[in-house]
Amino acid sequence: MNDVQHPALRPERVGELSLANRLAVSPMTRVSAAADGTPTAEMADYYRAYAQGGFSLVVSEGTYTDTWHSQGYTNQPGIVTDAHEAAWREIVGQVHDAGASMILQLMHAGALSQGNRYRDETVAPSAVPPRGEKMPEYGGHGSWPTPRAMSQEDIDRAVAGFVASAVRARRAGFDGVEVHGANGYLVDQFLTDYTNERDDRYGGTVARRVRLAADIVSAIRAELGPDFCVGIRLSQGKVNDFTHRWAGGSRDAETIFAALAEAGATYLHIASEGRDWVETATLDGGMTITGLARKVTGLPVLANGGMHDLDQAAMLLEDGHADVLTLGRGALANPDFPRRLAQGLPMAAFDHQMLQPMATLSNARRWRQTL
Ligand SMILES: Cc1cc2nc3c(=O)[nH]c(=O)nc-3n(C[C@H](O)[C@H](O)[C@H](O)COP(=O)(O)O)c2cc1C
């Protein structure tokens, strides 16, 4: 053991959840479910390994929420059928038995859908062609189609999908859900000035653009009661626009965070899509985005982006920038990251080859065999 314990190894509470340490697995799409969206035994092994490795909390990959327009990738898991629910129950049971809590990330891809077995068209707040190109690591190629602008009926149906999925998640044994409001997917498309050209109650000022996110959180909260963990993930950058930043800086951030706290969020999870925290966290006025989220809401804040850097991780916790750290690449390279940290063992470096040519679990297994 180290003489001085790293602060990430101290226990923490997030809402009703008691976590043995402050190290969580970041949501990571692995496009490894069955074609009908049912999670597999291979996925159970994958998620259980993080719990066995000492992570106190595992956030699942983005999981689709309805049989309309939410699915983002072929072989993405869903939480919309009894078979999905039963398969997730098995996974959550294994993660619990190995000592970790588990949260299901609920995702609607909106315009950034590159594989949907239920629909051909994509939908979004406005008919704006997405920037960038589809992602080969998740099975997509070429440019995105222009989405259809959502009607109020489409929006109501999307919100209902999130609520029904949260109900299924609780029934499957998950300790909470996380609304995917980050990285350029549907909820973030509403939040983003250049993808939301609406002139109804969901468009215009940032207070209006955050309304869909807040409506989803409050609808889940109303259905599942005060104690169920309902987090939301946010980011300025996007999978198809890494350098995007909120135009109003800290003023926008305050409006967004306050609206989500008011809606009943249990925690805020702030990601740095495509960049490390240190490159994205500083806002005008000198506060960090995660520190500001804590100050404005008083809620637990999960910080993401390069947290496998142990000095940065310690600084965030000790200087009050975050309550819990989520690891993506660090966890992929070291499913036992917390155990290694506690025992002072060296960490493996992340090798992007493990996600090539696609980010599937079978490709990672093949890559491991070549080591
Ligand atoms: C293979 C892969 C899949 C990802 N899938 C998701 C996802 O489903 N939902 C999400 O919010 N972020 C997703 N991300 C982003 C990560 O959660 C995380 O924000 C990013 O890797 C940066 O954190 P890191 O520096 O610890 O890797 C994914 C990242 C990777 C590498």
Side-chain angles (χ1 to χ4, degrees):
M1 289 287 276
N2 290 337
D3 293 342
V4 182
Q5 195 190 46
H6 193 283
L9 295 172
R10 294 187 201 134
E12 184 57 270
R13 284 192 72 83
V14 172
E16 299 292 311
L17 299 183
S18 291
L19 305 179
N21 58 47
R22 296 154 173 230
L23 293 166
V25 179
S26 205
M28 280 182 287
T29 290
R30 304 309 303 270
V31 283
S32 295
D36 71 353
T38 305
T40 63
E42 187 186 33
M43 288 167 63
D45 293 343
Y46 164 73
Y47 282 116
R48 190 186 58 245
Y50 290 128
Q52 288 169 334
F55 282 97
S56 66
L57 176 65
V58 179
V59 185
S60 80
E61 61 207 279
T63 298
Y64 68 82
T65 50
D66 57 44
T67 55
W68 290 87
H69 300 95
S70 62
Q71 188 181 354
Y73 333 101
T74 302
N75 297 109
Q76 179 184 18
I79 181 74
V80 301
T81 69
D82 290 347
H84 296 167
E85 189 182 315
W88 278 122
R89 182 176 299 112
E90 174 63 27
I91 293 176
V92 180
Q94 293 194 29
V95 168
H96 282 168
D97 288 349
S101 299
M102 188 164 186
I103 285 176
L104 184 70
Q105 189 183 58
L106 301 178
M107 168 174 165
H108 191 307
L112 301 191
S113 171
Q114 52 183 44
N116 182 345
R117 63 192 267 108
Y118 309 100
R119 312 281 148 185
D120 290 327
E121 61 169 2
T122 58
V123 297
S126 306
V128 176
R131 295 184 180 174
E133 298 219 318
K134 294 180 181 175
M135 296 165 282
E137 284 178 8
Y138 309 139
H141 299 278
S143 53
W144 307 97
T146 299
R148 174 172 65 76
M150 290 171 88
S151 64
Q152 184 64 52
E153 191 188 350
D154 291 316
I155 293 174
D156 293 344
R157 206 158 43 208
V159 174
F162 276 93
V163 174
S165 298
V167 169
R168 280 194 184 273
R170 184 171 65 178
R171 241 177 9 223
F174 282 101
D175 301 286
V177 292
E178 174 175 291
V179 175
H180 196 344
N183 300 5
Y185 296 102
L186 182 76
V187 175
D188 189 35
Q189 287 155 29
F190 273 81
L191 196 54
T192 299
D193 43 16
Y194 70 81
T195 47
N196 182 346
E197 299 178 338
R198 302 179 75 92
D199 55 12
D200 61 3
R201 59 195 295 271
Y202 301 98
T205 61
V206 68
R208 287 169 175 267
R209 284 185 273 117
V210 75
R211 181 162 283 148
L212 179 69
D215 281 0
I216 292 169
V217 170
S218 59
I220 297 174
R221 173 64 66 223
E223 184 68 29
L224 294 185
D227 294 338
F228 193 66
C229 175
V230 184
I232 181 158
R233 187 173 223 229
L234 300 165
S235 67
Q236 298 187 89
K238 310 173 191 313
V239 289
N240 61 335
D241 185 1
F242 291 142
T243 57
H244 179 73
R245 298 291 175 265
W246 294 336
S250 57
R251 264 184 306 113
D252 280 9
E254 285 189 28
T255 304
I256 292 164
F257 299 153
L260 294 169
E262 170 77 24
T266 309
Y267 70 77
L268 303 181
H269 184 181
I270 314 244
S272 318
E273 182 58 34
R275 296 284 184 273
D276 280 353
W277 179 88
V278 69
E279 295 168 64
T280 59
T282 309
L283 296 173
D284 54 294
M287 284 205 77
T288 61
I289 189 166
T290 51
L292 184 68
R294 290 182 87 217
K295 177 164 168 255
V296 168
T297 66
L299 296 174
V301 169
L302 282 54
N304 170 254
M307 295 305 156
H308 50 272
D309 175 335
L310 294 174
D311 293 337
Q312 174 177 265
M315 185 277 285
L316 257 86
L317 295 173
E318 280 171 344
D319 293 353
H321 298 290
D323 302 279
V324 171
L325 310 174
T326 68
L327 281 76
R329 291 165 296 169
L332 288 172
N334 306 277
D336 56 349
F337 190 98
R339 192 139 294 154
R340 289 187 191 211
L341 182 59
Q343 295 174 359
L345 298 173
M347 300 290 178
F350 171 68
D351 178 354
H352 205 255
Q353 281 307 314
M354 77 184 291
L355 304 177
Q356 297 302 317
M358 281 180 64
T360 59
L361 296 177
S362 52
N363 283 338
R365 196 175 51 243
R366 269 193 289 279
W367 169 85
R368 222 166 281 118
Q369 284 159 1
T370 65
L371 292 180

